């Protein structure tokens, strides 16, 4: 069979440009995006990235992603910054990219005497059409394909090239595109052959190899199982480029979902059906701290760089994660001594790694004086009697180590608290983020919650000193342990010490004017998302240590839990608290029931005071208008019959019921201090009461 030597086909190869250097700022978190560019060159036939040449890998055409030539993480993320957020950051798609741009294709037919014979001109303009009598698909040697399913795939891809049709060069070119775009073939060459019946158009194709194995290089954080599962259904089958493109997109998507600097940078078909997948991951090379003033100019910082660096979870040698970097920024801001924080990734020379520069702007001063006011919920003599004024002198960054010192005074008509507190949020040399707090406090609080009487008022004075250590031990879980010394006693309205109340009930456990105790404290706290109404669980225990014979020995446990549920536009909030005391304890330390944060509808402490207690609350809140929310609630509390077991039975002498419930309605207004709550509730004794509170109910 004579083959027309005048058939020519030229096509393009695929080349990729380098990234253009830009500058990255941490606060911009748009994904970067890569795009293939096709450059026309003259080749005898179309070469696919997986073109097999002679069955060896030395002469293979290799598809190269931009990262493969020189993976530059900084430039990559900056491309990521310049595109809309809904674009896949590591996306490259063969199926969506023109795979072939043909420079020219020409078909000509010759007579036996060598005179060129042109086909009929049926197209528009100068476009020439050639009549084709037959269309076949063959291998590169002109023989039938061994696999008929591949022949069917190629024939099904054709659109214009049909037997007994007049074709233009452009139509043949487009069908060549479609055959290669089917994904099963690495090359395609159209050949026109003269026959007695006319011109036969033969598409000589070269199928891809069968997939028999995978080699993945450079993937340190990408799970091996994820890669295996992605390629599992392709074993023993002809490699399909479209399916391979989907796999690469899923791998790149895995990195994107986790905010990691990584992507497929190269892929190559080796002999024997092996695919070599190359992944590039940008590891952190170095982290530096740069202090800036408010104008953005470099300055000298007061905070030690190592104090900031140890706050970061991002470490050298890790694959850089933007999500982890954002959490690090939030952590540094939470120290309370920085006004602005940002992270700038930069390429670390030609190493393929990334250097991180953290820019920080410190607050103008680490110390100062503050003043404020509030209302004590323990005062029952009217709202004005509960007013409290406060002032404080503080320093938030002692010695440049983020250590905090606070001297505060709160004073009301009855309440007063003077407190000195020193806190080291992270003890130097500790790798568990352990904090230390040292406290000295002198306070006077009303004793009316347990010992109220009509003849006057009494207060409970406490001198307290202690040290506590706290550390996170699991995500969202925090533990605290400490030793606290306390001396407490009661005084009358003239400031004189007393040991019995109006009903001759004892005010101290020791019988002296004051009680001494050394308490070992343990506390565990779980906090959910931190949103209002999210899950919270707190458990604490105090154990009196018998260091001296007269010191009190008792054990007190207390727990509270809160759970929020979203019900359409409404939110259901369930809370529970309970506790128990065993041993010799002062009566003023009994659990008090009734009031704004206990059983609403009752005055503070009028339900009961006992060794044990349990309080439950259900509340439904719903939006009203603007920042206002409405609420419907119900509370129930009981001392579990433990009131008489408190020394002197102060609850029984005051005829407290020991249990009660209340229900009512309220409104909420969000404020910087938390929700402001104004509520009105009825109790089971058919009396009502207004309540005002700040923050979520305990």
């Amino acid at each position: 069979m004579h083959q027309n030597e005048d058939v020519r086909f030229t096509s393009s190869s695929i080349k990729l440009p380098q990234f253009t250097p830009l500058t990255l700022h941490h606060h911009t978190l748009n994904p970067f995006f890569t795009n293939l560019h096709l450059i026309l060159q003259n080749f005898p036939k179309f070469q696919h990235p997986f073109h097999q040449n002679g069955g060896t890998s030395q002469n293979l055409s290799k598809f190269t992603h931009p990262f493969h030539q020189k993976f530059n993480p900084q430039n990559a993320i900056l491309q990521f910054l310049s595109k809309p957020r809904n674009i896949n950051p590591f996306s490259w798609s063969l199926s969506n990219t023109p795979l072939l741009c043909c420079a020219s294709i020409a078909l000509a037919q010759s007579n036996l005497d060598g005179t060129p014979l042109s086909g009929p001109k049926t197209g528009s303009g100068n476009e020439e059409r050639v009549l084709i009598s037959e269309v076949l698909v063959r291998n590169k040697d002109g023989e039938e394909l061994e696999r008929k399913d591949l022949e069917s795939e190629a024939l099904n891809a054709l659109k214009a090239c049909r037997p007994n049709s007049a074709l233009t060069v452009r139509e043949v070119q487009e069908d060549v595109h479609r055959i290669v775009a089917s994904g099963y073939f690495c090359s395609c060459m159209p050949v026109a052959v003269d026959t007695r019946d006319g011109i036969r158009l033969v598409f000589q194709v070269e199928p891809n190899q069968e997939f028999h194995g995978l080699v993945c290089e450079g993937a340190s954080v990408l799970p091996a199982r994820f890669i295996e599962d992605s390629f599992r259904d392709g074993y023993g089958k002809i490699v399909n480029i479209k399916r391979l493109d989907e796999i690469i997109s899923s791998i790149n998507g895995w990195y994107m979902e986790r905010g990691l600097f990584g992507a497929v940078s190269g892929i190559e078909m080796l002999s024997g059906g092996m695919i070599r997948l190359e992944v590039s991951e940008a590891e952190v090379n170095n982290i530096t701290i740069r202090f800036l003033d408010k104008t953005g100019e470099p300055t000298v910082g007061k905070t030690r760089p190592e104090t900031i660096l140890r706050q970061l979870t991002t470490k050298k040698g890790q694959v850089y994660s933007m999500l982890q970097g954002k959490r690090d920024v939030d952590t540094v801001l939470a120290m309370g001594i920085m006004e602005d924080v940002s992270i700038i990734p930069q390429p670390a020379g030609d190493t393929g790694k990334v250097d991180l520069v953290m820019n920080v702007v410190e607050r103008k001063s680490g110390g100062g004086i503050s003043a404020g006011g509030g209302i004590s919920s323990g005062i029952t003599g009217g709202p004005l009697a509960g007013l409290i004024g406060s002032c404080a002198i503080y320093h938030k960054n002692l010695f440049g180590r983020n250590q905090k010192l606070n001297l505060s005074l709160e004073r009301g008509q009855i309440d007063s608290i003077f407190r000195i507190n020193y806190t080291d949020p992270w003890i130097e040399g500790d790798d568990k983020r352990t904090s230390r707090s040292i406290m000295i406090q002198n306070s006077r609080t009303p004793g009316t919650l347990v010992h109220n009487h009509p003849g006057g008022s009494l207060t409970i004075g406490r001198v307290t000193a202690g040290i506590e250590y706290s550390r996170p031990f699991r995500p969202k879980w925090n533990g605290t342990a400490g030793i606290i010394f306390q001396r407490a006693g009661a005084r009358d309205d003239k400031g004189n010490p007393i040991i019995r109340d109006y009903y001759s009930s004892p005010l101290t456990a020791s019988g002296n004017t004051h009680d001494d105790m050394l308490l070992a404290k343990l506390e565990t706290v779980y906090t959910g998302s931190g949103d209002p109404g999210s899950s919270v669980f707190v458990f604490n225990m105090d154990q009196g240590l018998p260091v001296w014979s007269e010191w009190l020995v008792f054990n007190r446990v207390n727990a509270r839990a809160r759970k929020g549920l979203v019900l359409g536009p409404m939110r259901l909030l369930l809370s529970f608290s309970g506790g128990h005391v065993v041993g010799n304890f002062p009566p003023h330390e009994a659990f008090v029931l009734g009031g704004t944060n206990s059983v609403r509808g009752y005055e503070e402490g009028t339900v009961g005071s006992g060794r044990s207690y349990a309080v439950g609350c259900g509340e439904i809140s719903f939006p009203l208008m603007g920042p206002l929310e409405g609420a419907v609630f119900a509370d129930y509390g009981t001392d579990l019959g433990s009131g008489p077991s408190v020394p002197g039975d102060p609850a029984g002498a005051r005829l407290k019921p020991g249990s009660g419930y209340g229900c009512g309605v309220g409104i909420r207004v969000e404020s910087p201090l938390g929700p402001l709550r104004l509520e009105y509730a009825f109790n089971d004794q058919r009396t009502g009461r207004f309540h005002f509170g700040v923050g979520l109910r305990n």
Side-chain angles (χ1 to χ4, degrees):
M1 182 181 297
H2 177 68
Q3 178 173 314
N4 192 332
E5 299 296 333
D6 292 331
V7 175
R8 303 189 308 276
F9 178 79
T10 58
S11 64
S12 69
S13 64
I14 300 177
K15 291 188 177 181
L16 298 164
Q18 297 289 335
F19 284 119
T20 303
L22 298 171
T23 303
L24 171 69
H25 292 278
H26 173 76
H27 295 297
T28 308
L29 293 175
N30 295 330
F32 71 82
F33 175 79
T34 60
N35 188 23
L36 298 178
H37 294 267
L38 302 180
I39 302 175
L40 294 180
Q41 288 184 340
N42 292 326
F43 278 84
K45 62 177 180 178
F46 173 73
Q47 291 284 27
H48 193 273
F50 290 137
H51 174 63
Q52 298 95 18
N53 189 351
T56 64
S57 62
Q58 287 80 1
N59 297 323
L60 294 180
S61 296
K62 178 178 177 182
F63 177 78
T64 307
H65 191 274
F67 285 98
H68 178 76
Q69 298 175 7
K70 184 178 179 181
F71 180 57
N72 189 327
Q74 172 70 359
N75 292 338
I77 193 173
L78 295 169
Q79 295 287 339
F80 160 72
L81 293 166
S82 62
K83 298 297 178 181
R85 187 177 288 273
N86 62 348
I87 296 178
N88 189 330
F90 299 92
S91 174
W92 62 273
S93 174
L94 292 175
S95 59
N96 296 326
T97 305
L99 289 174
L100 180 63
C101 292
C102 297
S104 63
I105 181 172
L107 296 176
Q109 184 176 2
S110 301
N111 288 330
L112 295 178
D113 57 2
T115 305
L117 177 63
S118 299
K121 295 184 179 180
T122 59
S124 60
N126 296 325
E127 193 171 10
E128 185 177 4
R129 290 187 176 274
V130 177
L131 183 62
I132 302 299
S133 62
E134 188 177 8
V135 178
L136 299 176
V137 175
R138 294 290 185 264
N139 63 20
K140 62 181 180 179
D141 298 323
E143 300 173 351
E144 292 188 7
L145 296 178
E146 294 181 1
R147 296 186 52 163
K148 295 301 180 181
D149 58 333
L150 292 178
E151 182 177 339
S152 298
E153 291 287 348
L155 290 173
N156 291 335
L158 299 178
K159 182 178 181 181
C161 298
R162 301 294 181 186
N164 301 318
S165 59
L167 304 175
T168 64
V169 171
R170 179 177 296 276
E171 289 172 337
V172 175
Q173 170 187 313
E174 291 173 351
D175 273 352
V176 169
H177 293 174
R178 295 186 182 99
I179 290 177
V180 178
S182 69
Y184 291 99
F185 307 98
C186 60
S187 67
C188 177
M189 178 178 176
V191 178
V193 181
D194 284 340
T195 68
R196 293 182 179 180
D197 299 326
I199 295 179
R200 175 185 299 157
L201 180 59
V202 179
F203 291 96
Q204 294 184 353
V205 297
E206 186 176 358
N208 295 325
Q209 298 184 51
E210 290 185 356
F211 175 52
H212 293 296
L214 175 70
V215 176
C216 184
E217 299 175 354
S220 62
V221 296
L222 185 67
R225 181 173 294 275
F226 181 85
I227 304 176
E228 293 171 0
D229 292 344
S230 299
F231 284 88
R232 189 181 305 279
D233 61 353
Y235 280 96
K237 300 179 181 179
I238 293 292
V239 174
N240 185 283
I241 307 305
K242 293 170 65 176
R243 171 57 184 157
L244 195 60
D245 178 44
E246 295 174 0
I247 293 174
I248 292 173
S249 296
S250 69
I251 293 174
N252 293 337
W254 184 92
Y255 282 102
M256 176 55 190
E257 290 172 3
R258 290 152 182 82
L260 295 168
F261 267 28
V264 175
S265 57
I267 188 165
E268 183 178 5
M269 191 75 189
L270 306 176
S271 60
M274 298 291 294
I275 290 180
R276 187 174 74 87
L277 188 69
E278 185 176 350
V279 177
S280 293
E281 298 174 343
E283 296 181 355
V284 177
N285 179 64
N286 194 23
I287 306 174
T288 57
I289 304 298
R290 182 167 58 188
F291 293 92
L292 303 177
D293 58 22
K294 291 186 177 181
T295 63
E297 295 297 324
T299 187
V300 178
K302 300 176 183 178
T303 307
R304 298 190 178 189
E306 58 269 21
T307 300
I308 302 174
L309 288 172
R310 68 176 181 170
Q311 302 288 333
L312 310 182
T313 57
T314 302
K315 305 297 181 183
K316 294 181 182 180
Q318 293 181 348
V319 177
Y320 179 58
S321 167
M322 291 177 293
L323 299 180
Q324 190 175 5
K326 184 179 184 301
R327 290 193 295 267
D328 286 339
V329 167
D330 294 338
T331 300
V332 175
L333 286 172
M335 295 169 65
I337 57 177
M338 301 300 171
E339 190 169 298
D340 188 29
V341 180
S342 63
I343 290 181
I344 300 179
Q346 296 178 342
D350 296 330
T351 62
K353 298 183 179 182
V354 61
D355 286 334
L356 301 181
V357 178
M358 174 171 278
N359 290 330
V360 296
V361 179
E362 292 180 304
R363 295 188 182 276
K364 185 176 181 180
S365 175
I369 300 176
S370 64
I375 298 177
S376 172
S377 62
I379 305 300
T380 60
L384 295 179
L387 290 176
I388 298 175
S390 65
C391 65
I393 301 174
Y394 62 90
H395 199 292
K396 296 184 177 181
N397 194 14
L398 282 176
F399 315 116
R401 297 181 180 273
N402 194 33
Q403 298 171 3
K404 306 179 188 304
L405 179 64
N406 189 70
L407 285 75
S408 62
L409 174 64
E410 296 181 5
R411 183 75 181 183
Q413 294 187 27
I414 299 176
D415 294 57
S416 68
I417 299 176
F418 175 73
R419 182 183 180 94
I420 301 174
N421 189 78
Y422 164 80
T423 301
D424 186 352
W426 191 343
I427 300 173
E428 186 174 2
D430 178 79
D431 60 349
K432 303 295 184 181
R433 301 184 72 91
T434 303
S435 65
R436 175 177 55 216
S437 180
I438 301 174
M439 173 268 298
I440 300 174
Q441 178 176 290
N442 188 350
S443 66
R444 187 181 64 168
T445 57
T448 53
L449 297 182
V450 177
H451 300 281
N452 65 305
H453 62 90
S457 63
L458 59 87
T459 58
I460 306 298
R462 296 178 178 88
V463 176
T464 307
I467 182 170
E468 295 181 355
Y469 292 87
S470 180
R471 71 164 55 166
F473 58 90
R474 292 188 61 185
K476 300 182 180 181
W477 286 89
N478 193 76
T480 301
I483 294 290
I484 299 174
F485 173 81
Q486 178 176 292
R487 168 172 286 190
R491 295 181 179 271
D492 60 17
D493 51 1
K494 297 180 180 179
N496 300 316
I498 53 176
I499 59 175
R500 293 190 177 274
D501 66 7
Y502 179 82
Y503 297 96
S504 297
S505 298
L507 293 171
T508 61
S510 64
N512 301 322
T513 57
H514 60 268
D515 291 321
D516 292 331
M517 62 197 83
L518 184 66
L519 303 177
K521 174 183 177 180
L522 292 175
E523 183 178 71
T524 299
V525 178
Y526 169 84
T527 54
S529 63
D531 297 331
S534 64
S535 299
V536 174
F537 174 76
V538 179
F539 173 83
N540 54 60
M541 180 181 69
D542 296 327
Q543 174 65 55
L545 303 177
V547 178
W548 297 102
S549 59
E550 295 184 353
W551 289 12
L552 302 187
V553 179
F554 63 92
N555 179 271
R556 176 173 54 203
V557 294
N558 191 27
R560 57 185 176 89
R562 184 176 70 225
K563 176 67 176 179
L565 300 173
V566 177
L567 305 174
M570 299 183 297
R571 185 172 66 246
L572 173 63
L573 189 66
L574 302 175
S575 63
F576 171 83
S577 60
H580 181 65
V581 181
V582 176
N584 188 23
F585 74 105
H588 57 76
E589 295 285 355
F591 296 113
V592 177
L593 299 175
T596 302
N597 289 314
S598 180
V599 181
R600 285 164 285 190
Y602 283 91
E603 291 187 11
E604 303 293 329
T606 57
V607 174
S609 50
R611 281 182 177 265
S612 305
Y613 86 103
V615 173
C617 169
E619 180 175 294
I620 296 177
S621 60
F622 46 88
L624 292 177
M625 55 185 196
L628 289 180
E629 281 190 347
V632 179
F633 58 84
D635 304 330
Y636 175 78
T638 175
D639 64 5
L640 302 174
S642 65
S645 65
V646 176
D649 187 17
R654 290 158 180 80
L655 303 178
K656 296 182 180 181
S659 64
Y661 66 84
C663 56
V665 296
I667 58 174
R668 311 276 190 270
V669 181
E670 286 296 329
S671 75
L673 300 177
L676 302 179
R677 301 183 287 130
L678 179 62
E679 301 158 337
Y680 186 82
F682 284 97
N683 60 32
D684 52 345
Q685 298 180 359
R686 299 184 179 180
T687 60
R689 180 177 174 84
F690 279 101
H691 296 274
F692 177 77
V694 180
L696 293 174
R697 182 183 180 279
N698 294 330

